[in-house]
Amino acid sequence: MVQGSDITAHSKAGDMVPDFTLMCCEGKTHHLSDYRGKKILLCFYDYAHCPQCAYSVGNLIGHQKKLAWASKLKVITVFLVNKDILHDGLSNKNAPIPKLCDDSLYPFLALADPDGEAAASFRLGNNSMIPTSRQMIFKLVRMNSNYKKVFPPVPLRNFLPAEFLIDENGMIVDILRTKKATEYMAMERIQHFLLGDPHSERTSSKSIFSSGKSLLTSFSRSKSS
């Protein structure tokens, strides 16, 4: 269930995020607003069994293991499947994502969005009647009965994965709307979101120092005269 959303407006940096209510694999209900007060990386994917989505998740797992910022960031991943398919995609050792976890548990909060309502509230689809190449591929994959269950039709037309950086107040700070499923939020953008830009701070400090020095010089000259 999505609350307070205006799906006619395209989500952009500076917007407040709509709230949503989704279930995790264990059946527990989570609200996006539960995590207000924390910095969030919110990722939308279509299938938990998708090798291309696993590629993006794998990069995120690699960053989490290596970087200190992981403890300061709440990572929430939303998949457009029901919670049973989601559970299988994250626990079945033959699925792509568990193979990336080195026999450990999936490290992020994973939520099921089977009706695509949460994704729709972030405007991650469009009304074009022309399917994307990604849609066509999965349509062909579904012709194989072995894959029909784990790759059901996506509830949102022409969906592509996307990632949102959200600040403690629930405001969108940065967005990656992918053009292909193997794209993911660059580490530098996440670091900037969490830590700010040290170069900008040094530049600002230098400007303040220069301004102060100029003021002192002007004061000394006026006092001498």
Side-chain angles (χ1 to χ4, degrees):
M1 180 182 298
V2 179
Q3 300 172 350
S5 64
D6 177 8
I7 62 173
T8 63
H10 202 285
S11 297
K12 60 186 182 300
D15 285 352
M16 299 301 292
V17 295
D19 197 13
F20 59 66
T21 303
L22 298 175
M23 283 189 179
C24 64
C25 300
E26 293 76 24
K28 180 181 177 181
T29 298
H30 294 261
H31 308 275
L32 183 59
S33 56
D34 292 341
Y35 303 97
R36 190 65 57 87
K38 296 183 179 181
K39 291 188 174 183
I40 297 170
L41 172 59
L42 177 63
C43 308
F44 286 91
Y45 304 112
D46 40 16
Y47 299 115
H49 292 77
C50 172
Q52 290 181 314
C53 293
Y55 177 85
S56 297
V57 171
N59 279 283
L60 200 55
I61 291 173
H63 292 337
Q64 189 213 34
K65 289 180 178 178
K66 295 176 182 178
L67 300 177
W69 56 251
S71 62
K72 301 178 181 179
L73 186 68
K74 180 67 178 179
V75 180
I76 302 174
T77 53
V78 177
F79 294 84
L80 273 64
V81 293
N82 65 46
K83 64 183 181 65
D84 295 325
I85 296 176
L86 176 60
H87 181 269
D88 185 74
L90 300 182
S91 61
N92 188 330
K93 292 185 177 181
N94 293 320
I97 290 177
K99 292 179 181 178
L100 301 171
C101 295
D102 300 326
D103 296 325
S104 58
L105 296 176
Y106 184 73
F108 311 127
L109 174 61
L111 302 175
D113 185 20
D115 298 322
E117 290 187 8
S121 73
F122 282 83
R123 295 298 293 164
L124 299 183
N126 60 58
N127 294 321
S128 173
M129 297 302 294
I130 303 174
T132 63
S133 58
R134 183 176 175 81
Q135 277 189 309
M136 293 301 296
I137 290 171
F138 281 114
K139 186 175 182 179
L140 292 173
V141 169
R142 280 193 293 274
M143 294 176 69
N144 185 324
S145 60
N146 293 328
Y147 297 111
K148 185 179 291 186
K149 179 181 178 181
V150 297
F151 295 121
V154 172
L156 200 61
R157 183 180 294 165
N158 292 340
F159 169 86
L160 278 175
E163 300 179 0
F164 296 82
L165 290 172
I166 303 167
D167 72 10
E168 298 93 332
N169 299 312
M171 185 180 75
I172 299 172
V173 175
D174 196 2
I175 304 171
L176 172 69
R177 294 180 184 275
T178 67
K179 295 181 180 179
K180 53 184 179 180
T182 52
E183 290 183 274
Y184 57 91
M185 186 75 73
M187 180 177 63
E188 291 78 11
R189 291 167 71 171
I190 300 175
Q191 287 179 313
H192 177 77
F193 169 63
L194 291 172
L195 307 174
D197 187 348
H199 175 72
S200 297
E201 292 179 3
R202 287 196 298 269
T203 302
S204 178
S205 299
K206 185 176 180 181
S207 299
I208 293 171
F209 176 76
S210 298
S211 299
K213 187 175 180 181
S214 298
L215 184 61
L216 286 172
T217 301
S218 300
F219 177 75
S220 298
R221 286 176 180 174
S222 63
K223 188 174 182 181
S224 299
S225 60

